[in-house]
Amino acid sequence: MENFDDVYRWRVGKYRAFYRIANSRIILMAIEHRRDAYRHDTLPSDDELILIEPDDQFELPALDDSAPADGDVEPLPAVPMSPPGDPLPRPLAEPELARLGVPADQCGPLAACRTVDELLEVLERLPPAIADRVLALALGTTLEEVLDDPVLLLDELPPSFVDVLRGHVPLHYLLDPSQEDALQRIRNQDGPFLVTGPPGSGKTLLGLLAISPLLARARQRGNPQPRALFVTFTRTLARTLERLARVHLSAADRLAVAFKTLDSLVNDLAPDALLADGPAVVALVAQARQRAFTRPLSPDPARDRKLAGSLHRITNLYIQEEIEEVILGRGLRTLEEYRAADRTGRQLPLNANQREAIWCVYETLSDLLREQGLFLREERRQLAWETVRQDPAVTRYDVVVVDEVHDLSLTALRLLHELCRHPEALLLLGDTGQSIYTRTVRWDLLRAEFPGLVSIELSTGHRCPPEIAAAAEAYRAALPLDDSRGESSAVTHRKRPGRSRPLLVLLSRWDAWPDALARCLAERLRELRLTSGHAAVLVPTNQLADAASEALWARGFEVKHVRAGQDLSQGSGVKLLTWHNAKGLEFALVLLVLPDWEPPPAGWSDCEVDEVRESIALWRRTVYVAMTRASRALVVLRPQHGTSALLEGFPATVWESVTFASESTDAPSDGLPF
């Protein structure tokens, strides 16, 4: 077809089927009546409708069905998509809504809708998946949108196409060449494996699909009932994977897999080691720092004073992170090991005296924790690792898949390696560019830890349109604060370019952010023809999340505040998460709130600039990861003017920008809304 050299049309009676051919497969894109097919002969723009009408039973009698044969007339002009306030192109019938899985009590209200606004209002009562089906039926889908959608495969032809529409037929994603190659290598080679790739490249899905061939190999080794473990970072992700497993794994394989977080595993293996909470750790580190160098019977008080002085401009926060990430995270057991440790990723260099001083604080902190029967998170992981090593009765797994490996310590990975009965069936998934909790992870450390590690790279981004990916990359590259953290290659995008750029909303007064957020959310939902269940608002802190939730509820939006560890609702309502809690998820529309704020220790007095740089680098990666959660549209709300290093990196070449001026005449607030 003109302008789409990889799209073909097939005449079937009064209907036309649009399809593509790729990887020796026929990909069905749409089926429409021949009267509409004339409008797609040349497809001069992306504004045209592709309507799916499964049979003649519900065709509108008022429409003329006397379209001429192909070639008898010139192509009709394109029919533009209806703006939200316009009448629906066609009314909906209750029987066809029922076929799409719409609950019976909502079929009547939907059939009564006559405008797009009315339709979107009723669809707010339905889960996003069902709302999508109704919108496609009522408003059609542009060919560009169809080409952007993932391709789904049928294992076998269904008895009825209606079963496909209702979701009763198993469908599987068509893998891109790099994914197919990766799965083939996992199927035919021994691991352990390390699969890397950019955001949205399908690492998690690949890990899920790899379970079946890895379990099959375990059965070939003589184990008729092998077990698999899929470890992910949050309970939200674990629940999401359980839902995906019902679609992509056979019943036998699905029942062989346990989806767990690392923390839940540690709780099972070290139940008596109580975790010290955040405030307790902060207080104990401060106490340990004081006690370590003021020993009443010190054999060398002058030496103690010198060590204490070496930490003069290093904050307690940095010392705490050094203990947890470097000393405990690497499993270092002696001062000599710590002195020799490679700390790449920590930007504040430490000399020999400073390392010795931090080791003294660490030993004192350990004593204080034991006095209260408490343990740091990495200490509990080390205890769990030692338990597995010493107790053969602990459950082992034939297959272990570890997601988000870039945010796990070597101590954690040693534990998971020990749980894997066959190390060649260990599969690690990650991307150092998305590390938002750890600073020192590097692939060369993993290769040294796991000899023979087979590296596999995915090269196609499936989630973000190229415009959003380019804007996120521009943001990340604007302040090159990071040391090199790993290899990266050129990325191709499955979605085609040509969409509008992401939107940057500049607030002349920051106290207007609640009004700007609600207005942008409403306008983008209408423009994209989405219900609120497709949207997520991402904010930096829980305090700002509470404020955003209150603001949106007050302005008429249903809000689902997803806190750490909670399941991500598949129902209606705007999803509200912190940047960190959005890790591993995706949403059609993302609105990211970016205040003029810098994380600690920025702004603290008498603090080393390298410590500030390291913190800013970590948080900028977090903003980058939050941006790449968007699969269709991205909006960033930020102050028009500000001093935070998080506000850098919005070039006009990749962002559309508008200024939001508050109508309020009240004096601006003195502080941030959190």
Side-chain angles (χ1 to χ4, degrees):
M1 298 190 67
E2 187 176 337
N3 296 335
F4 297 92
D5 56 8
D6 58 346
V7 178
Y8 302 88
R9 186 188 60 189
W10 181 27
R11 304 176 186 178
V12 186
K14 293 187 297 181
Y15 293 89
R16 302 295 178 262
F18 291 83
Y19 65 96
R20 300 170 62 200
I21 299 176
N23 298 333
S24 301
R25 296 182 176 92
I26 296 176
I27 302 169
L28 178 64
M29 298 172 55
I31 301 172
E32 60 180 357
H33 198 279
R34 68 185 183 189
R35 62 172 170 263
D36 298 311
Y38 299 122
R39 301 170 186 176
H40 302 289
D41 279 344
T42 58
L43 293 176
S45 70
D46 64 354
D47 293 331
E48 304 168 37
L49 296 174
I50 295 180
L51 300 177
I52 296 178
E53 300 180 86
D55 60 44
D56 294 336
Q57 181 177 355
F58 301 110
E59 290 184 17
L60 300 180
L63 293 178
D64 180 15
D65 193 32
S66 59
D70 290 353
D72 291 348
V73 296
E74 291 295 323
L76 296 177
V79 177
M81 282 294 183
S82 301
D86 281 1
L88 289 178
R90 48 161 292 182
L92 298 170
E94 292 191 36
E96 62 185 354
L97 291 169
R99 290 188 302 170
L100 296 182
V102 175
D105 62 335
Q106 297 301 320
C107 289
L110 287 171
C113 293
R114 291 296 178 266
T115 68
V116 178
D117 276 340
E118 291 175 354
L119 179 65
L120 290 172
E121 183 178 353
V122 177
L123 289 178
E124 285 290 344
R125 309 169 193 170
L126 301 177
I130 296 179
D132 285 342
R133 299 175 198 165
V134 176
L135 284 168
L137 177 68
L139 304 180
T141 305
T142 68
L143 183 56
E144 291 284 4
E145 290 173 342
V146 175
L147 290 170
D148 274 354
D149 284 340
V151 177
L152 300 174
L153 299 178
L154 288 167
D155 288 335
E156 57 185 22
L157 289 177
S160 168
F161 186 69
V162 175
D163 293 331
V164 178
L165 294 177
R166 288 177 173 172
H168 296 165
V169 177
L171 297 171
H172 307 285
Y173 288 113
L174 174 65
L175 302 182
D176 67 55
S178 69
Q179 292 171 329
E180 288 187 339
D181 178 68
L183 199 57
Q184 188 70 11
R185 294 178 65 183
I186 292 169
R187 183 180 292 113
N188 296 328
Q189 290 181 241
D190 285 337
F193 302 96
L194 171 64
V195 177
T196 62
S201 56
K203 296 182 293 294
T204 302
L205 176 62
L206 182 72
L208 188 66
L209 297 177
I211 288 175
S212 292
L214 290 174
L215 285 174
R217 294 177 67 179
R219 295 184 183 103
Q220 292 172 0
R221 286 192 292 263
N223 184 353
Q225 294 184 326
R227 303 186 64 180
L229 173 66
F230 198 118
V231 180
T232 190
F233 207 81
T234 66
R235 283 176 287 180
T236 301
L237 284 173
R239 301 292 83 76
T240 300
L241 283 166
E242 287 177 349
R243 289 194 296 269
L244 288 174
R246 298 188 189 101
V247 176
H248 297 289
L249 299 182
S250 67
D253 289 345
R254 185 174 71 248
L255 295 174
V257 186
F259 295 96
K260 295 188 177 184
T261 64
L262 178 61
D263 287 341
S264 69
L265 281 171
V266 172
N267 289 339
D268 293 339
L269 294 167
D272 297 328
L274 300 180
L275 177 65
D277 61 25
V281 174
V282 170
L284 288 172
V285 169
Q287 187 179 349
R289 181 173 185 169
Q290 181 179 13
R291 182 182 294 187
F293 308 112
T294 56
R295 297 173 292 176
L297 301 177
S298 172
D300 192 348
R303 177 66 176 169
D304 288 346
R305 289 193 295 273
K306 182 177 181 179
L307 292 177
S310 71
L311 301 180
H312 171 62
R313 290 175 56 83
I314 300 178
T315 67
N316 289 349
L317 176 62
Y318 196 88
I319 293 174
Q320 176 185 332
E321 293 167 347
E322 182 78 6
I323 290 172
E324 295 198 79
E325 188 167 337
V326 178
I327 295 176
L328 294 172
R330 299 278 183 86
L332 307 179
R333 298 184 179 274
T334 66
L335 173 58
E336 288 68 29
E337 289 181 351
Y338 179 45
R339 281 175 171 159
D342 179 359
R343 300 174 59 257
T344 300
R346 301 236 70 187
Q347 298 197 18
L348 178 62
L350 299 177
N351 60 35
N353 284 338
Q354 290 171 320
R355 294 199 189 201
E356 182 178 350
I358 289 176
W359 189 266
C360 291
V361 175
Y362 160 60
E363 291 183 323
T364 306
L365 176 63
S366 296
D367 292 339
L368 292 172
L369 287 164
R370 297 303 91 76
E371 289 173 7
Q372 300 186 30
L374 299 176
F375 293 82
L376 298 176
R377 188 177 303 276
E378 290 295 339
E379 286 183 310
R380 298 180 77 242
R381 293 172 177 176
Q382 194 159 7
L383 286 174
W385 174 40
E386 293 171 353
T387 297
V388 176
R389 293 176 62 193
Q390 297 169 9
D391 187 355
V394 171
T395 300
R396 262 75 170 180
Y397 298 86
D398 300 275
V399 177
V400 174
V401 181
V402 187
D403 200 8
E404 307 282 349
V405 69
H406 47 262
D407 272 322
L408 298 181
S409 66
L410 287 181
T411 295
L413 293 176
R414 288 167 185 154
L415 163 63
L416 298 172
H417 181 267
E418 196 68 35
L419 285 170
C420 191
R421 184 178 288 114
H422 304 287
E424 63 271 20
L426 175 66
L427 176 57
L428 309 176
L429 314 168
D431 170 19
T432 53
Q434 297 186 65
S435 177
I436 63 175
Y437 290 102
T438 61
R439 302 154 182 82
T440 60
V441 63
R442 302 193 316 279
W443 297 147
D444 59 325
L445 293 177
L446 269 64
R447 294 188 181 101
E449 185 70 26
F450 305 117
L453 188 67
V454 178
S455 295
I456 302 173
E457 186 174 18
L458 304 182
S459 57
T460 300
H462 291 264
R463 179 187 301 133
C464 297
E467 292 77 11
I468 292 178
E473 286 295 337
Y475 177 84
R476 185 169 68 163
L479 289 183
L481 300 175
D482 273 330
D483 295 328
S484 177
R485 299 173 59 83
E487 304 88 359
S488 61
S489 300
V491 178
T492 59
H493 297 281
R494 177 178 60 78
K495 296 184 176 181
R496 303 187 179 205
R499 297 292 186 273
S500 60
R501 293 175 291 179
L503 179 65
L504 179 65
V505 180
L506 302 171
L507 279 71
S508 57
R509 288 175 44 177
W510 180 246
D511 60 352
W513 71 267
D515 290 331
L517 176 63
R519 178 173 168 181
C520 289
L521 176 59
E523 289 180 353
R524 295 300 286 182
L525 288 174
R526 289 185 52 170
E527 177 185 342
L528 297 168
R529 297 175 304 154
L530 296 173
T531 59
S532 62
H534 294 83
V537 174
L538 308 183
V539 299
T541 66
N542 284 314
Q543 193 172 356
L544 185 54
D546 291 335
S549 177
E550 181 179 347
L552 290 175
W553 275 108
R555 289 160 177 79
F557 288 96
E558 181 184 358
V559 180
K560 304 293 186 184
H561 187 175
V562 185
R563 302 180 186 272
Q566 291 183 342
D567 194 8
L568 181 67
S569 169
Q570 299 301 300
S572 59
V574 181
K575 311 304 186 289
L576 179 62
L577 306 92
T578 64
W579 298 342
H580 286 83
N581 287 345
K583 179 184 179 71
L585 305 175
E586 68 175 68
F587 309 91
L589 169 62
V590 167
L591 295 97
L592 191 148
V593 181
L594 182 58
D596 185 17
W597 168 78
E598 287 187 337
W604 292 4
S605 60
D606 204 22
C607 177
E608 292 283 0
V609 66
D610 287 334
E611 185 175 344
V612 175
R613 284 171 55 88
E614 182 180 315
S615 176
I616 294 298
L618 191 68
W619 276 87
R620 284 185 63 86
R621 282 202 303 276
T622 307
V623 175
Y624 163 78
V625 170
M627 288 180 179
T628 59
R629 302 307 93 194
S631 64
R632 285 189 61 184
L634 170 65
V635 179
V636 174
L637 295 91
R638 51 151 288 181
Q640 187 172 11
H641 305 288
T643 60
S644 170
L646 299 184
L647 299 179
E648 297 290 333
F650 294 93
T653 54
V654 293
W655 291 87
E656 295 286 349
S657 63
V658 297
T659 301
F660 184 89
S662 172
E663 298 178 357
S664 171
T665 58
D666 297 336
S669 60
D670 294 329
L672 297 172
F674 55 91

